[in-house]
Amino acid sequence: MRSRFTAPSARLALAAVAAMAVTATATATAAATADSRSTAVRACVTKDLTYKVSLKTQAGGYFLVTAKAKTGVTCYLEGVFPSASFGSSADTEVSPAEHAVSDRVTLSGSTAAYAGISPKTTNNDHGREFDFLHLAVAGDETNAVTLALPETATVDRPTATNWHADPADAVPFSG
């Protein structure tokens, strides 16, 4: 009879040890997952960032777009040009000013990324005037933001540089 009383106790002890092992494994897995999430930097989307547009006179004049991550956000921008247009027609969409992908820019805190947008790359009197720029992170065009320009721009075959960590690299020199 004694074995009958001992067996349930032993089974309970084994069940308790197994439960502790499962709990420890689950806790370790959850901690590892949380750690991997906290160290992994994700790609930025348009709403992750704040934007500022300033007018520059270098290279015949262009708009410098400065993007910074919102408070509490850490993300990266690929070194490709932003999706931007001055109006809703295809001829006001920017095309790339650079032929290669540049370095990825990680944004957090006060770190910024810069893209230069030249509204007019032609040497003529043609073009249409705009007061606003529609801008999105490439791949997130459905969430574009509309930014007021510091002055009215005459637009004809606009181009944009890739995102860069240094504003000096975001000057859209023409051919």
Side-chain angles (χ1 to χ4, degrees):
M1 273 206 143
R2 211 174 202 182
S3 63
R4 278 187 166 174
F5 293 115
T6 308
S9 300
R11 277 187 246 148
L12 285 174
L14 282 173
V17 169
M20 289 187 336
V22 168
T23 302
T25 302
T27 302
T29 302
T33 301
D35 287 345
S36 68
R37 282 188 208 139
S38 64
T39 59
V41 177
R42 63 179 175 75
C44 297
V45 293
T46 305
K47 69 178 182 177
D48 288 335
L49 308 173
T50 60
Y51 305 92
K52 176 185 170 191
V53 180
S54 55
L55 180 63
K56 301 296 180 182
T57 58
Q58 186 179 3
Y62 69 98
F63 295 106
L64 181 66
V65 177
T66 304
K68 290 185 178 182
K70 290 182 178 175
T71 303
V73 174
T74 298
C75 60
Y76 65 85
L77 285 171
E78 288 294 348
V80 296
F81 69 103
S83 182
S85 69
F86 289 89
S88 58
S89 67
D91 65 344
T92 66
E93 292 178 9
V94 300
S95 60
E98 298 176 77
H99 298 289
V101 174
S102 45
D103 292 336
R104 176 184 286 184
V105 182
T106 300
L107 303 175
S108 184
S110 64
T111 305
Y114 306 91
I117 298 179
S118 178
K120 185 169 174 53
T121 59
T122 57
N123 190 15
N124 59 37
D125 294 331
H126 301 267
R128 294 186 291 170
E129 292 189 348
F130 292 94
D131 295 315
F132 296 94
L133 175 70
H134 306 294
L135 182 90
V137 171
D140 190 30
E141 286 81 3
T142 58
N143 295 308
V145 296
T146 300
L147 306 169
L149 296 174
E151 70 176 33
T152 300
T154 301
V155 177
D156 190 20
R157 296 187 186 164
T159 62
T161 68
N162 297 341
W163 291 108
H164 293 280
D166 184 346
D169 294 332
V171 178
F173 293 106
S174 57

Tab-separated table of all heavy atoms in Angstrom, residues 53 63 85-87 128-134 146-155:
chain	number	residue	atom	x	y	z
A	53	VAL	N	11.268	71.283	-45.070
A	53	VAL	CA	11.741	71.614	-46.415
A	53	VAL	C	12.367	72.993	-46.371
A	53	VAL	O	11.752	73.947	-45.891
A	53	VAL	CB	10.583	71.607	-47.438
A	53	VAL	CG1	11.105	71.951	-48.828
A	53	VAL	CG2	9.876	70.272	-47.453
A	63	PHE	N	15.329	72.118	-53.252
A	63	PHE	CA	14.722	72.005	-51.927
A	63	PHE	C	15.416	70.881	-51.177
A	63	PHE	O	15.559	69.770	-51.702
A	63	PHE	CB	13.222	71.724	-52.031
A	63	PHE	CG	12.463	72.853	-52.649
A	63	PHE	CD1	11.979	72.760	-53.941
A	63	PHE	CD2	12.239	74.026	-51.940
A	63	PHE	CE1	11.284	73.813	-54.527
A	63	PHE	CE2	11.550	75.087	-52.514
A	63	PHE	CZ	11.075	74.981	-53.810
A	85	SER	N	6.176	64.208	-55.459
A	85	SER	CA	5.634	64.894	-56.633
A	85	SER	C	5.158	66.272	-56.194
A	85	SER	O	4.884	66.514	-55.020
A	85	SER	CB	4.493	64.099	-57.263
A	85	SER	OG	3.368	64.100	-56.409
A	86	PHE	N	5.046	67.140	-57.153
A	86	PHE	CA	4.569	68.491	-56.860
A	86	PHE	C	3.073	68.615	-57.119
A	86	PHE	O	2.427	69.514	-56.634
A	86	PHE	CB	5.339	69.514	-57.695
A	86	PHE	CG	6.769	69.664	-57.238
A	86	PHE	CD1	7.765	68.861	-57.757
A	86	PHE	CD2	7.089	70.598	-56.270
A	86	PHE	CE1	9.073	69.000	-57.327
A	86	PHE	CE2	8.396	70.741	-55.837
A	86	PHE	CZ	9.387	69.934	-56.367
A	87	GLY	N	2.539	67.726	-57.892
A	87	GLY	CA	1.114	67.737	-58.199
A	87	GLY	C	0.648	66.312	-58.377
A	87	GLY	O	1.341	65.369	-58.002
A	128	ARG	N	5.342	74.389	-64.653
A	128	ARG	CA	4.146	74.813	-63.921
A	128	ARG	C	4.550	75.162	-62.495
A	128	ARG	O	5.493	74.590	-61.954
A	128	ARG	CB	3.107	73.688	-63.903
A	128	ARG	CG	2.578	73.399	-65.315
A	128	ARG	CD	1.458	72.409	-65.295
A	128	ARG	NE	1.971	71.096	-64.912
A	128	ARG	CZ	1.217	70.064	-64.630
A	128	ARG	NH1	-0.083	70.162	-64.671
A	128	ARG	NH2	1.739	68.904	-64.293
A	129	GLU	N	3.805	76.066	-61.896
A	129	GLU	CA	4.147	76.523	-60.551
A	129	GLU	C	3.351	75.763	-59.492
A	129	GLU	O	2.159	75.509	-59.658
A	129	GLU	CB	3.912	78.024	-60.429
A	129	GLU	CG	4.881	78.822	-61.281
A	129	GLU	CD	4.815	80.308	-61.013
A	129	GLU	OE1	3.884	80.775	-60.337
A	129	GLU	OE2	5.731	81.004	-61.480
A	130	PHE	N	4.058	75.432	-58.388
A	130	PHE	CA	3.455	74.711	-57.271
A	130	PHE	C	3.938	75.305	-55.957
A	130	PHE	O	5.059	75.805	-55.869
A	130	PHE	CB	3.828	73.224	-57.325
A	130	PHE	CG	3.213	72.492	-58.482
A	130	PHE	CD1	3.917	72.354	-59.670
A	130	PHE	CD2	1.945	71.958	-58.383
A	130	PHE	CE1	3.360	71.692	-60.748
A	130	PHE	CE2	1.371	71.284	-59.456
A	130	PHE	CZ	2.079	71.157	-60.634
A	131	ASP	N	3.077	75.203	-54.945
A	131	ASP	CA	3.401	75.679	-53.600
A	131	ASP	C	3.581	74.542	-52.597
A	131	ASP	O	3.923	74.782	-51.444
A	131	ASP	CB	2.297	76.613	-53.083
A	131	ASP	CG	2.206	77.886	-53.892
A	131	ASP	OD1	3.257	78.470	-54.178
A	131	ASP	OD2	1.076	78.284	-54.239
A	132	PHE	N	3.297	73.303	-53.028
A	132	PHE	CA	3.338	72.155	-52.124
A	132	PHE	C	4.085	70.989	-52.750
A	132	PHE	O	4.166	70.865	-53.966
A	132	PHE	CB	1.911	71.695	-51.774
A	132	PHE	CG	1.127	72.721	-51.013
A	132	PHE	CD1	0.299	73.616	-51.680
A	132	PHE	CD2	1.239	72.816	-49.632
A	132	PHE	CE1	-0.408	74.578	-50.988
A	132	PHE	CE2	0.527	73.774	-48.930
A	132	PHE	CZ	-0.295	74.661	-49.606
A	133	LEU	N	4.621	70.146	-51.878
A	133	LEU	CA	5.312	68.931	-52.275
A	133	LEU	C	4.623	67.763	-51.588
A	133	LEU	O	4.391	67.803	-50.377
A	133	LEU	CB	6.786	68.996	-51.841
A	133	LEU	CG	7.638	67.755	-52.084
A	133	LEU	CD1	7.878	67.561	-53.582
A	133	LEU	CD2	8.971	67.882	-51.349
A	134	HIS	N	4.282	66.727	-52.346
A	134	HIS	CA	3.738	65.491	-51.779
A	134	HIS	C	4.909	64.533	-51.627
A	134	HIS	O	5.638	64.289	-52.595
A	134	HIS	CB	2.672	64.895	-52.691
A	134	HIS	CG	1.593	65.868	-53.037
A	134	HIS	ND1	0.706	66.373	-52.108
A	134	HIS	CD2	1.278	66.464	-54.213
A	134	HIS	CE1	-0.114	67.224	-52.701
A	134	HIS	NE2	0.212	67.305	-53.978
A	146	THR	N	1.768	66.097	-47.272
A	146	THR	CA	1.861	67.278	-48.120
A	146	THR	C	2.596	68.355	-47.344
A	146	THR	O	2.204	68.696	-46.229
A	146	THR	CB	0.462	67.766	-48.538
A	146	THR	OG1	-0.176	66.699	-49.258
A	146	THR	CG2	0.552	68.990	-49.429
A	147	LEU	N	3.670	68.861	-47.927
A	147	LEU	CA	4.530	69.844	-47.267
A	147	LEU	C	4.479	71.165	-48.022
A	147	LEU	O	4.588	71.180	-49.262
A	147	LEU	CB	5.968	69.333	-47.226
A	147	LEU	CG	6.182	67.945	-46.605
A	147	LEU	CD1	7.586	67.449	-46.877
A	147	LEU	CD2	5.896	67.998	-45.125
A	148	ALA	N	4.330	72.246	-47.295
A	148	ALA	CA	4.372	73.579	-47.909
A	148	ALA	C	5.812	73.892	-48.298
A	148	ALA	O	6.747	73.647	-47.529
A	148	ALA	CB	3.840	74.621	-46.946
A	149	LEU	N	5.984	74.430	-49.480
A	149	LEU	CA	7.312	74.830	-49.929
A	149	LEU	C	7.633	76.223	-49.393
A	149	LEU	O	6.731	77.046	-49.228
A	149	LEU	CB	7.366	74.846	-51.460
A	149	LEU	CG	7.173	73.490	-52.140
A	149	LEU	CD1	7.089	73.660	-53.652
A	149	LEU	CD2	8.301	72.540	-51.763
A	150	PRO	N	8.908	76.522	-49.150
A	150	PRO	CA	9.279	77.851	-48.645
A	150	PRO	C	9.000	78.963	-49.660
A	150	PRO	O	8.885	80.121	-49.292
A	150	PRO	CB	10.765	77.738	-48.342
A	150	PRO	CG	11.208	76.401	-48.777
A	150	PRO	CD	10.026	75.606	-49.209
A	151	GLU	N	8.917	78.596	-50.934
A	151	GLU	CA	8.524	79.550	-51.978
A	151	GLU	C	7.953	78.760	-53.149
A	151	GLU	O	8.182	77.556	-53.280
A	151	GLU	CB	9.688	80.430	-52.426
A	151	GLU	CG	10.761	79.737	-53.209
A	151	GLU	CD	11.833	80.711	-53.708
A	151	GLU	OE1	12.131	81.712	-53.031
A	151	GLU	OE2	12.385	80.443	-54.788
A	152	THR	N	7.219	79.430	-53.998
A	152	THR	CA	6.616	78.786	-55.168
A	152	THR	C	7.718	78.251	-56.080
A	152	THR	O	8.739	78.914	-56.298
A	152	THR	CB	5.740	79.798	-55.935
A	152	THR	OG1	4.720	80.256	-55.053
A	152	THR	CG2	5.110	79.169	-57.155
A	153	ALA	N	7.513	77.045	-56.591
A	153	ALA	CA	8.509	76.411	-57.455
A	153	ALA	C	7.961	76.242	-58.860
A	153	ALA	O	6.809	75.839	-59.040
A	153	ALA	CB	8.874	75.043	-56.891
A	154	THR	N	8.786	76.548	-59.839
A	154	THR	CA	8.469	76.221	-61.227
A	154	THR	C	9.000	74.816	-61.467
A	154	THR	O	10.191	74.546	-61.265
A	154	THR	CB	9.128	77.218	-62.201
A	154	THR	OG1	8.656	78.529	-61.891
A	154	THR	CG2	8.788	76.878	-63.642
A	155	VAL	N	8.107	73.924	-61.889
A	155	VAL	CA	8.443	72.502	-61.978
A	155	VAL	C	8.449	72.042	-63.429
A	155	VAL	O	7.475	72.244	-64.161
A	155	VAL	CB	7.430	71.671	-61.156
A	155	VAL	CG1	7.717	70.181	-61.292
A	155	VAL	CG2	7.457	72.092	-59.691
